Amino acid sequence: MDDVRATSAWVASHSSHVLVDSSGIEKVVETIESIPKVVWDFEGIHYFDNGPLTVQYLFVLDALNFCFWPDKELSYDHLASGLKASLQNDKSAFDADRLQKYTGPELRELLKWPRPLPLEDERVRLLHEVGCELERSFEGKAANIVESCGKSAVKLVAVITRHFPGFRDHSLYKGHQVFLYKRAQIFAADLWGAFRGQGYGEFNDIGSITIMADYIVPAVLRQLGVLKYSSTLASIIDANSEIGPGSEEEVELRACSIYAVEKMRELMSMKSGKQVLSVELDLWLWSFGIQCPSLPHHRTLSIYY
């Protein structure tokens, strides 16, 4: 995760469209006595049986956890609860051999979704990729990935991005490679949250995980006065116009969000004298954002978030 932090900081220091406002960070931190604790499964939308099937569920969930906004009625909750219901109905639904064979219509049926999903072909491709590599390298079980990592979230992210190309959330920005790793990191965070830091969710280095740079967190940070946009970028976002994947604007929105929350975390740790986890800040910011659906967010068609 050092690469994520370092390259995000580099983007923030060379940004043309997004500014991280230090005074805005200080103001927000002054108003927070402690991070409001958000229970990981606060709406009961996830499958959980305290065993390896939960790990399999979370890996499938995070393989598909991207790009909801083109369909105004679709949300993360539909994905999480739809996959939960399908697994409750058929415990073999996410077996590696079956993941390799799903079609778009079959995925829709799993989720009980009445029309084509955004980037449906990509979602199906990623399901096939996950099933194939799980079968080839991990005896079909996502739990075997976790067990191979020796309670290290950093190693887990490294193994996932090495074995599963669909999780390689990289961008090129002004001649520099930038590492963001949203979905690989959120798998570690989901495990930690679901298992409450025990069993498959026990990581000795959970503090190494950064926030998960998506389209909600930048919108919340803008609302809080932590991020400031150029007038051109602000007008694009407020008009609900699309921003190209890998564009300077998109990379800056995501990388500056990571950098800004790292600065928030450091300041809060100094203030409280206790370790503050980026993963806790991320969950708080994300829950704040989904409770304010009218917040204007950037729109990018991407498999990474």
Side-chain angles (χ1 to χ4, degrees):
M1 297 306 94
D2 289 345
D3 285 343
V4 176
R5 287 183 169 84
T7 58
S8 293
W10 193 91
V11 172
S13 67
H14 294 81
S15 179
S16 305
H17 311 278
V18 181
L19 171 70
V20 179
D21 190 325
S22 298
S23 63
I25 291 174
E26 291 172 1
K27 288 176 183 176
V28 171
V29 171
E30 284 174 7
T31 65
I32 303 174
E33 291 301 321
S34 61
I35 304 173
K37 296 295 182 183
V38 180
V39 178
W40 175 79
D41 191 23
F42 58 94
E43 293 180 337
I45 58 174
H46 298 93
Y47 178 85
F48 185 76
D49 68 355
N50 203 37
L53 193 56
T54 296
V55 182
Q56 195 87 351
Y57 162 82
L58 290 173
F59 197 46
V60 172
L61 171 65
D62 289 328
L64 300 175
N65 183 5
F66 58 86
C67 203
F68 302 100
W69 60 266
D71 190 323
K72 292 181 179 180
E73 296 179 10
L74 182 66
S75 71
Y76 170 80
D77 288 11
H78 291 108
L79 178 66
S81 59
L83 293 176
K84 172 186 177 180
S86 66
L87 194 56
Q88 288 174 326
N89 184 56
D90 179 359
K91 291 293 192 289
S92 68
F94 302 151
D95 285 1
D97 59 335
R98 293 186 61 182
L99 292 175
Q100 297 172 56
K101 298 172 184 174
Y102 280 117
T103 64
E106 287 170 342
L107 176 57
R108 275 177 252 155
E109 176 60 27
L110 277 182
L111 301 177
K112 296 293 185 283
W113 197 248
R115 53 187 172 273
L117 296 155
L119 298 181
E120 182 170 278
D121 289 347
E122 287 294 284
R123 294 181 197 273
V124 170
R125 181 182 68 82
L126 291 170
L127 275 185
H128 294 177
E129 176 187 286
V130 164
C132 183
E133 185 59 17
L134 281 178
E135 186 172 72
R136 188 173 74 92
S137 299
F138 300 100
E139 299 178 351
K141 306 294 184 185
N144 289 340
I145 307 176
V146 180
E147 290 175 347
S148 74
C149 293
K151 300 179 182 179
S152 169
V154 171
K155 186 175 180 183
L156 178 62
V157 171
V159 170
I160 289 170
T161 53
R162 184 186 315 130
H163 281 271
F164 301 89
F167 283 84
R168 292 176 193 160
D169 185 3
H170 300 180
S171 291
L172 282 175
Y173 176 81
K174 296 183 178 180
H176 286 250
Q177 192 163 19
V178 179
F179 303 91
L180 299 164
Y181 290 156
K182 186 260 185 180
R183 289 196 289 105
Q185 290 199 86
I186 208 170
F187 178 54
D190 280 345
L191 288 166
W192 178 77
F195 289 91
R196 300 181 183 273
Q198 303 296 316
Y200 289 109
E202 183 180 357
F203 298 110
N204 298 326
D205 55 358
I206 192 64
S208 298
I209 295 295
T210 71
I211 66 153
M212 280 53 81
D214 60 6
Y215 53 87
I216 291 177
V217 171
V220 174
L221 293 174
R222 181 193 186 192
Q223 176 77 7
L224 293 174
V226 170
L227 295 185
K228 300 289 179 63
Y229 298 168
S230 69
S231 57
T232 302
L233 177 58
S235 64
I236 291 171
I237 291 174
D238 293 342
N240 292 331
S241 299
E242 287 189 30
I243 295 173
S247 64
E248 283 192 5
E249 293 87 345
E250 189 237 6
V251 177
E252 289 178 14
L253 284 162
R254 301 183 70 207
C256 288
S257 295
I258 292 173
Y259 176 75
V261 176
E262 284 302 299
K263 292 297 158 187
M264 287 175 62
R265 181 187 62 77
E266 291 169 7
L267 197 56
M268 292 175 71
S269 295
M270 288 175 55
K271 178 184 173 184
S272 67
K274 301 175 182 177
Q275 183 188 30
V276 175
L277 299 177
S278 294
V279 64
E280 292 179 323
L281 274 171
D282 180 85
L283 189 56
W284 170 56
L285 291 166
W286 184 80
S287 63
F288 181 100
I290 61 171
Q291 291 169 37
C292 302
S294 61
L295 278 183
H297 62 77
H298 73 280
R299 285 166 156 72
T300 297
L301 287 171
S302 171
I303 68 167
Y304 297 120
Y305 62 99

